[in-house]
Amino acid sequence: MYREVVAKSEETMRKSMGFLKEDLATIRAGKANPKLVDKIQVSYYGTMTPLNQVANISVPEPRAIMIQPWDASLVKEIEKAILASELGITPSNDGKVIRLVIPVLTEERRKDLLKIVKKETENAKVAVRNIRRDANEELKKLEKSSEITKDDLKKAEEDMQKLTDKYIKFVEDIYKEKEKEILEV
């Protein structure tokens, strides 16, 4: 019975790691990455549509992203959407293709990005701890209603702590990896 609670919690923690990785992938670190434009929405015949659903996005060189809309009439809309986004990159277009050249990061910008990454990873740690707290509350209810024994409760709480430690370490590893990427020159 308690194993189900632990397994469900682990699945939720795993999903939290996925969300963290997705969020951090959209943070510009001086290298071109198609995920940088993942959150950009373009007005496509009056409907806000994700950029990757109306254009081919590629990385022809290490510091450039090329966006080739399937409908050439969208070039201006895509350009507008990029300028309105928080990317901080000015697009250039030749009427058919939009190019985003990723500028070299300044030291100040690197520090700002690290603050953002640190905040996101702290949020992920809090999420993992909240999952543990919720699971422990659920386990205590099971013990109180005599569905599990005190020994099972103790074992389950130990398992939850091990799981929490494991996922907190994952979060720290993800942070170190992104920090290294940002600080690379």
Side-chain angles (χ1 to χ4, degrees):
M1 179 63 101
Y2 74 86
R3 284 185 177 84
E4 294 163 6
V5 174
V6 173
K8 186 175 79 177
S9 298
E10 182 168 20
E11 180 62 27
T12 309
M13 288 179 185
R14 191 177 302 120
K15 285 179 183 173
S16 292
M17 293 307 102
F19 290 132
L20 175 64
K21 285 180 180 179
E22 282 177 30
D23 282 349
L24 294 185
T26 63
I27 295 176
R28 181 163 59 96
K31 286 194 281 191
N33 180 343
K35 290 209 177 279
L36 289 175
V37 295
D38 268 4
K39 292 183 179 178
I40 295 177
Q41 300 270 318
V42 179
S43 177
Y44 183 58
Y45 295 107
T47 305
M48 294 311 281
T49 310
L51 178 58
N52 61 5
Q53 291 182 14
V54 295
N56 184 35
I57 301 166
S58 61
V59 180
E61 48 196 84
R63 290 204 4 235
I65 296 174
M66 189 166 75
I67 302 165
Q68 188 168 16
W70 296 317
D71 180 350
S73 67
L74 277 176
V75 170
K76 287 286 181 211
E77 282 297 326
I78 292 172
E79 193 171 22
K80 254 198 307 190
I82 291 169
L83 288 169
S85 74
E86 296 178 0
L87 264 185
I89 300 172
T90 305
S92 64
N93 87 63
D94 62 8
K96 295 178 187 161
V97 173
I98 295 174
R99 283 183 172 60
L100 299 175
V101 178
I102 311 296
V104 177
L105 294 175
T106 63
E107 194 60 36
E108 185 179 328
R109 181 68 179 140
R110 289 176 200 273
K111 287 177 183 172
D112 290 344
L113 289 175
L114 279 176
K115 285 179 191 171
I116 294 167
V117 171
K118 185 75 172 163
K119 182 175 172 260
E120 291 294 325
T121 54
E122 285 305 317
N123 289 344
K125 286 180 183 180
V126 169
V128 168
R129 291 183 189 117
N130 286 342
I131 293 165
R132 175 191 59 196
R133 183 200 62 219
D134 294 345
N136 284 342
E137 285 174 6
E138 194 174 332
L139 290 164
K140 285 175 184 165
K141 285 178 187 172
L142 290 173
E143 193 263 338
K144 198 170 192 172
S145 66
S146 300
E147 292 180 53
I148 62 172
T149 65
K150 277 197 185 297
D151 288 344
D152 285 345
L153 174 64
K154 187 172 175 11
K155 173 74 174 117
E157 286 176 339
E158 287 171 7
D159 289 351
M160 282 307 304
Q161 187 57 50
K162 286 177 189 168
L163 208 54
T164 302
D165 294 344
K166 173 182 164 183
Y167 280 92
I168 294 289
K169 175 143 178 29
F170 282 161
V171 170
E172 289 168 354
D173 291 346
I174 291 168
Y175 173 78
K176 287 175 188 165
E177 191 178 305
K178 191 67 178 183
E179 179 184 43
K180 183 180 165 206
E181 182 184 326
I182 290 171
L183 294 176
E184 263 179 18
V185 179

